[in-house]
């Protein structure tokens, strides 16, 4: 039976389990959570509607208004302003940036944070970042960030946290939104969207066009995307929704630079280095094309709870051309998912209780063709792999007493990675499979204080399955299927609070520890991926926000990370590329005439270079960046107008977020970030 046939069979079986619906309280809830007060709701933490303060985790919700008013042109810009989050990019492009949460990046940055679109996993089965431009920013209604282990509900890759991107749902009369941003390095970004509802139908359509020449030579990126969401309210007991999205991104790859090369010209692309047998990155680029379809049925079952089943199918065609490495590859990645879920809210012994149970089935075929030239005239090899996962989860929340909530959950998952690699004229490098079994559990306590505050504690385990290109090496060196490579596992503990001691004052503090086993990393000596010795990631996240109404708002965060080996030859050494401190402070002054002035400061401490597990080399320098924005937001009845002008990196800091320690075969290199950048924009909503 083919993989796609298995997907269809599983989907049909799940659909038959969706019971016949009966009328009950109202329109069905959805993963986008159509709530009146967004700041009191989060979806990703419990896979259902939930007040933030009832969740035993450090949670942030970024609303549509905050996104629109930020002046940002990408999800990366929005997320990087949040505590505990850092992005790195080897290409200098935001679409390919790697997210680092709670210092889990290091030399093995992929797969530690699960990225979702309306509750469905976006993480790729291979070792690559999600394309952050695949979701038009004009389509986003809000973003939810849940820090901490989430494998019980979401399985693979939810080790450091979950980021769920919720798209807009239409409501009421048609609302039109248009915006345009221009800036340094040839930046221009245009967005348009319309949303609304008519009788039982609701709709939202959006599109975006982004282009930038990039800070460095040969770092141009362009992206075009569109999205559609439709929903049909069939009555008080049944709801249907569907969505579609498309994106095409093209990018150039400028490579890295040595310190001497940066001193000469930070904006140049990587030159040839004959001493290290390295060609210039004068013709490196790539293209991504992504299409996704999704469908969901919500059913209300009266006293028997409610059920939901989601289906999704996506295809990604990608091509990378590394002329500097004589590597030309074409990929096709398909993703099929079926995610049935059941929720029962019913009192037990007079106490509120909520049970959530479900299944996540993912089928991800992966095919890669390697070529000898950009024109794809000579095929070198074909890789045909597949990852299939099935996870079963159960989670319960019980009010022990009115302000104290006990939560507990368990997940069991099975994954199979299989396939083959054929090098022409016909050599089979491998044709085998590996099965992984994993489980996760969690136990949490949340104590509610007053109407807005909470204290929480949580213990949880988590895991990350190997990527298919970690399990199988097929890029021309170290070829083979690594059957002894095991999944990563984690034990996590956290204790935190969110308090409102004064009106309009919010302070929060979270302490956490993550003990990792079997982290996967590339060994340049053996030319293969291997499981590392135990590591420990611990730290603290502190936040504050104070609003003096109609005058100013001040906010900030402090994040401390320490990530170190706990065994082996590097015992006690810190993991590379993990800064100990990240500080962000900002303010908004509400000036006369509908003007708002927003200065911001971001400081990131130094860190060891990639590959420096011994901690005996130079460090990646600390840096601080100042941003300054001026907004104009007049109040005009049903029309909303917002204009801004801003300067990022006002102090013209020359810094790099990634550095790689030199070896006998390669020099010490860096990936420089942009200097002072100016941009301005305007948006209309009517």
């Amino acid at each position: 039976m083919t993989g796609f046939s298995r997907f269809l069979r599983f989907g049909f079986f799940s659909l038959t389990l969706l019971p016949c619906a009966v009328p009950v309280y109202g329109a069905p809830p959805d993963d986008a959570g159509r709530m009146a007060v967004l700041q009191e709701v989060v979806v990703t933490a419990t896979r259902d509607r939930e007040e933030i303060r009832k969740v035993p985790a450090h949670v942030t919700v970024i609303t549509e208004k905050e996104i629109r008013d930020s002046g940002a042109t990408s999800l990366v810009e929005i997320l990087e302003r949040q505590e505990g989050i850092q992005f790195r990019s080897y290409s200098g492009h935001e679409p390919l940036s790697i997210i680092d949460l709670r210092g889990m990046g290091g030399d093995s940055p992929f797969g530690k944070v699960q990225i979702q679109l309306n509750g469905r996993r976006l993480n790729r089965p291979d070792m690559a970042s999600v394309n952050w431009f695949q979701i038009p920013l004009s389509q986003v209604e809000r973003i939810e960030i849940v820090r901490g282990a989430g494998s019980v509900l979401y399985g693979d890759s939810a080790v450091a946290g979950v980021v769920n991107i919720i798209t807009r749902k239409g409501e009421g009369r048609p609302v039109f939104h248009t915006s345009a941003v221009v800036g340094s390095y040839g930046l221009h970004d245009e967005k348009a969207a319309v949303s609304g509802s008519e009788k039982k139908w609701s709709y939202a359509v959006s599109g975006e066009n982004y282009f930038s020449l990039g800070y460095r030579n040969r770092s141009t990126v362009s992206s075009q995307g569109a999205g559609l969401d439709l929903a049909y309210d069939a009555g008080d007991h049944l709801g249907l929704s569907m969505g579609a999205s498309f994106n095409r991104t093209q990018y150039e790859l400028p490579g890295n630079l040595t310190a001497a090369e940066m001193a000469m010209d930070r904006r140049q692309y990587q030159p040839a280095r004959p001493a290290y047998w390295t060609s210039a990155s004068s013709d490196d680029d790539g293209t991504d094309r992504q299409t996704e379809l999704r469908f969901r049925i919500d059913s209300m079952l009266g006293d028997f709870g409610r059920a939901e089943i989601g289906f999704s199918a996506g295809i990604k065609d990608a091509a990378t051309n590394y002329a500097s490495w004589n590597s030309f590859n074409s990929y096709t990645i398909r993703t099929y998912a079926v995610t049935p879920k059941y929720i029962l809210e019913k009192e037990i012994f007079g106490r509120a209780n909520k049970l959530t149970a479900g299944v996540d089935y993912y089928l991800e075929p992966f095919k890669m063709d390697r070529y000898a030239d950009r024109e794809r005239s000579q095929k070198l090899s074909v890789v045909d792999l597949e990852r299939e996962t099935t996870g079963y989860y159960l989670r319960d929340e019980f009010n022990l007493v009115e302000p104290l909530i006990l939560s507990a959950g368990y997940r069991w998952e099975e994954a199979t990675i299989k396939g083959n690699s054929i090098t022409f004229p016909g050599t089979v490098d491998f044709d085998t499979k590996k099965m992984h079994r994993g489980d996760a559990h969690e136990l949490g306590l949340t104590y509610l204080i007053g109407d807005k505050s909470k204290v929480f504690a949580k213990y949880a385990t988590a895991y990350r399955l190997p990527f298919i290109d970690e399990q199988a090496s097929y890029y021309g060196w170290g070829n083979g299927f690594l059957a002894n490579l095991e999944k990563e596992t984690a034990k996590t503990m956290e204790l935190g609070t969110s308090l409102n001691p004064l009106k309009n004052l919010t302070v929060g503090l979270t302490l956490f520890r993550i003990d990792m086993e079997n982290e996967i990393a590339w060994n340049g000596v053996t030319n293969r991926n291997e499981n590392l010795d135990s590591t420990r990631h611990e730290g603290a996240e502190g936040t504050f926000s104070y609003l003096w109404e109609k005058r100013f708002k001040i906010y900030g965060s402090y994040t401390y990370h320490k990530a170190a080996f706990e065994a082996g030859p590097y015992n006690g050494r810190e993991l590379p590329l993990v800064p100990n401190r990240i500080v962000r402070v900002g303010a908004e002054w509400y000036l006369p005439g509908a003007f708002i002035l927003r200065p911001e400061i971001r400081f990131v401490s130094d860190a060891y270079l990639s590959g420096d597990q011994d901690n005996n080399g130079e460090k990646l320098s600390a840096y601080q960046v100042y941003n300054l924005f001026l907004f104009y937001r007049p109040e005009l009845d049903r029309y909303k107008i917002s204009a801004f002008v801003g300067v990022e990196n006002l102090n013209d800091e020359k810094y790099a977020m990634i550095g790689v320690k030199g070896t006998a075969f390669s020099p010490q290199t860096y990936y420089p970030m942009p200097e002072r950048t100016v941009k301005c924009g305007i948006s209309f909503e009517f």
Side-chain angles (χ1 to χ4, degrees):
M1 180 177 289
T2 66
F4 188 69
S5 298
R6 295 195 302 273
F7 163 74
L8 292 177
R9 184 182 64 174
F10 187 89
F12 179 77
F13 176 72
S14 301
L15 189 60
T16 61
L17 293 180
L18 194 65
C20 295
V22 296
V24 72
Y25 314 105
D30 56 28
D31 272 351
R34 301 180 192 175
M35 304 296 165
V37 187
L38 290 178
Q39 63 268 28
E40 295 180 356
V41 178
V42 65
V43 174
T44 50
T46 61
R47 295 190 79 150
D48 189 54
R49 300 174 302 178
E50 190 79 84
E51 287 186 42
I52 287 179
R53 69 194 197 105
K54 290 184 178 180
V55 179
H58 177 189
V59 180
T60 302
V61 175
I62 309 167
T63 67
E64 182 180 11
K65 182 178 185 302
E66 291 171 329
I67 295 171
R68 185 174 60 244
D69 291 346
S70 67
T73 57
S74 71
L75 287 166
V76 172
E77 287 187 57
I78 296 291
L79 290 170
E80 195 167 31
R81 293 170 180 169
Q82 310 308 312
E83 59 273 13
I85 294 181
Q86 186 182 23
F87 279 91
R88 302 200 300 268
S89 174
Y90 290 91
S91 65
H93 302 308
E94 290 182 349
L96 306 178
S97 296
I98 307 162
I99 189 170
D100 181 352
L101 179 60
R102 289 192 165 176
M104 293 296 292
D107 273 342
S108 180
F110 301 101
K112 302 297 199 302
V113 181
Q114 188 171 123
I115 311 301
Q116 302 174 354
L117 175 63
N118 296 323
R120 188 192 70 78
R121 188 177 71 203
L122 290 182
N123 299 63
R124 288 173 48 164
D126 62 331
M127 191 166 51
S129 171
V130 302
N131 182 347
W132 294 97
F133 278 12
Q134 72 187 81
I135 308 162
L137 200 58
S138 57
Q139 192 182 1
V140 177
E141 180 179 276
R142 73 180 188 276
I143 304 168
E144 302 164 347
I145 306 166
V146 183
R147 298 163 182 83
S151 283
V152 164
L153 285 174
Y154 290 101
D156 175 44
S157 74
V159 177
V162 177
V163 176
N164 193 9
I165 302 156
I166 309 297
T167 55
R168 181 185 290 108
K169 302 293 185 288
E171 185 175 356
R173 65 172 180 81
V175 176
F176 297 86
H177 177 80
T178 62
S179 66
V181 175
V182 296
S184 302
Y185 315 121
L187 168 68
H188 65 84
D189 181 37
E190 300 84 33
K191 304 182 182 73
V194 59
S195 61
S197 62
E198 181 67 29
K199 296 182 180 179
K200 293 186 176 184
W201 287 93
S202 64
Y203 57 89
V205 184
S206 64
E208 182 171 359
N209 176 58
Y210 177 97
F211 178 86
S212 173
L213 292 172
Y215 165 66
R216 295 177 59 191
N217 296 330
R218 285 205 52 79
S219 63
T220 297
V221 59
S222 66
S223 178
Q224 296 79 39
L228 166 69
D229 278 286
L230 293 174
Y232 179 72
D233 183 0
D236 290 341
H237 59 284
L238 185 66
L240 308 173
S241 61
M242 66 159 291
S245 59
F246 169 80
N247 174 265
R248 181 177 184 270
T249 300
Q250 294 178 293
Y251 54 89
E252 295 175 329
L253 299 164
N256 53 44
L257 297 175
T258 65
E261 290 164 352
M262 286 196 299
M264 183 181 302
D265 181 4
R266 294 175 57 86
R267 300 183 62 181
Q268 67 176 310
Y269 59 77
Q270 177 184 313
R273 302 180 186 124
Y276 296 98
W277 307 281
T278 305
S279 301
S281 296
S282 57
D283 196 21
D284 293 354
D285 56 42
T287 302
D288 285 352
R289 294 182 181 87
Q290 299 186 166
T291 304
E292 184 194 54
L293 300 174
R294 51 192 180 272
F295 179 72
R296 195 179 68 240
I297 304 172
D298 296 280
S299 178
M300 305 293 286
L301 311 173
D303 292 337
F304 297 99
R306 43 197 163 92
E308 169 195 307
I309 180 169
F311 303 88
S312 64
I315 182 170
K316 175 173 183 175
D317 291 314
T320 56
N321 302 298
Y322 295 97
S324 58
W325 288 91
N326 198 31
S327 176
F328 305 92
N329 305 314
S330 296
Y331 311 80
T332 298
I333 305 171
R334 289 179 169 85
T335 301
Y336 307 102
V338 184
T339 54
K341 178 177 65 178
Y342 172 73
I343 298 170
L344 177 64
E345 294 185 74
K346 202 173 187 68
E347 289 188 353
I348 298 178
F349 306 120
R351 300 293 183 186
N353 190 78
K354 181 177 181 179
L355 177 70
T356 304
V359 182
D360 293 327
Y361 174 80
Y362 283 86
L363 178 64
E364 298 168 294
F366 173 95
K367 184 176 181 180
M368 186 190 82
D369 297 326
R370 292 180 58 235
Y371 294 89
D373 51 12
R374 174 184 288 271
E375 291 73 24
R376 272 63 174 168
S377 60
Q378 181 184 352
K379 187 177 292 189
L380 299 177
S381 66
V382 172
V383 177
D384 196 352
L385 291 167
E386 175 185 283
R387 187 170 77 168
E388 182 179 21
T389 61
T390 306
Y392 306 87
Y393 62 89
L394 182 71
R395 187 179 186 274
D396 192 73
E397 296 178 14
F398 179 68
N399 283 57
L400 295 172
V401 292
E402 186 60 32
L404 183 62
I405 302 171
L406 172 68
S407 59
Y410 178 77
R411 183 187 188 95
W412 183 86
E413 186 159 0
E414 183 176 88
T416 301
I417 300 174
K418 65 180 182 180
N420 58 66
S421 173
I422 300 175
T423 300
F424 294 110
T427 303
V428 177
D429 299 310
F430 60 81
D431 186 0
T432 186
K433 69 178 181 179
K434 168 81 173 184
M435 180 175 289
H436 296 274
R437 290 186 174 91
D439 63 352
H441 53 271
E442 68 174 53
L443 184 66
L445 279 173
T446 307
Y447 185 78
L448 307 181
I449 304 173
D451 295 329
K452 297 182 179 180
S453 304
K454 71 174 179 181
V455 177
F456 68 88
K458 180 181 176 182
Y459 171 81
T461 62
Y463 58 88
R464 181 182 80 80
L465 301 171
F467 294 110
I468 57 175
D469 50 350
E470 288 177 321
Q471 194 83 70
S473 181
Y474 47 73
Y475 281 100
W477 58 88
N479 273 14
F481 194 92
L482 308 179
N484 62 343
L485 192 70
E486 300 297 336
K487 67 182 183 299
E488 300 179 350
T489 60
K491 296 178 180 178
T492 74
M493 295 178 288
E494 54 187 303
L495 176 68
T497 183
S498 177
L499 302 174
N500 290 82
L502 301 172
K503 182 182 179 181
N504 296 335
L505 173 64
T506 301
V507 294
L509 177 65
T510 303
L511 309 176
F512 64 88
R513 172 178 289 178
I514 306 171
D515 287 322
M516 295 289 298
E517 298 284 346
N518 291 330
E519 281 194 82
I520 301 170
W522 177 260
N523 187 327
V525 177
T526 61
N527 280 335
R528 58 189 292 140
N529 290 300
E530 296 177 354
N531 294 112
L532 299 178
D533 294 305
S534 303
T535 61
R536 171 169 289 176
H537 304 253
E538 55 188 358
E541 298 159 345
T543 65
F544 77 93
S545 174
Y546 176 70
L547 173 65
W548 186 357
E549 294 182 7
K550 298 182 179 181
R551 301 211 176 185
F552 73 85
K553 175 182 179 181
I554 186 169
Y555 52 88
S557 65
Y558 175 86
T559 305
Y560 171 78
H561 296 142
K562 183 177 181 181
F565 290 98
E566 291 291 302
Y570 305 120
N571 188 14
R573 304 289 200 278
E574 293 188 31
L575 269 69
L577 295 180
V578 179
N580 293 133
R581 301 179 307 282
I582 301 176
V583 182
R584 184 179 68 98
V585 179
E588 291 186 355
W589 272 277
Y590 307 121
L591 306 174
F595 287 97
I596 301 171
L597 185 66
R598 189 182 75 196
E600 285 186 337
I601 302 173
R602 180 180 175 87
F603 168 80
V604 179
S605 67
D606 58 14
Y608 290 101
L609 297 176
S610 176
D612 188 13
Q613 287 86 357
D614 277 327
N615 295 176
N616 59 5
E618 294 180 18
K619 280 190 168 185
L620 192 63
S621 299
Y623 62 89
Q624 56 188 14
V625 174
Y626 300 86
N627 300 327
L628 183 64
F629 281 78
L630 179 66
F631 295 89
Y632 175 64
R633 299 176 188 147
E635 297 181 6
L636 301 170
D637 296 329
R638 59 172 289 186
Y639 298 97
K640 295 181 181 178
I641 299 176
S642 178
F644 77 91
V645 60
V647 183
E648 296 174 341
N649 196 359
L650 180 66
N651 52 320
D652 207 24
E653 181 87 335
K654 294 175 175 57
Y655 67 101
M657 298 179 70
I658 303 176
V660 182
K661 185 180 179 181
T663 69
F665 303 101
S666 62
Q668 188 159 293
T669 56
Y670 303 86
Y671 295 82
M673 296 298 291
E675 299 170 67
R676 185 181 296 118
T677 302
V678 179
K679 63 180 182 179
C680 59
I682 188 167
S683 66
F684 299 90
E685 186 173 298
F686 53 93

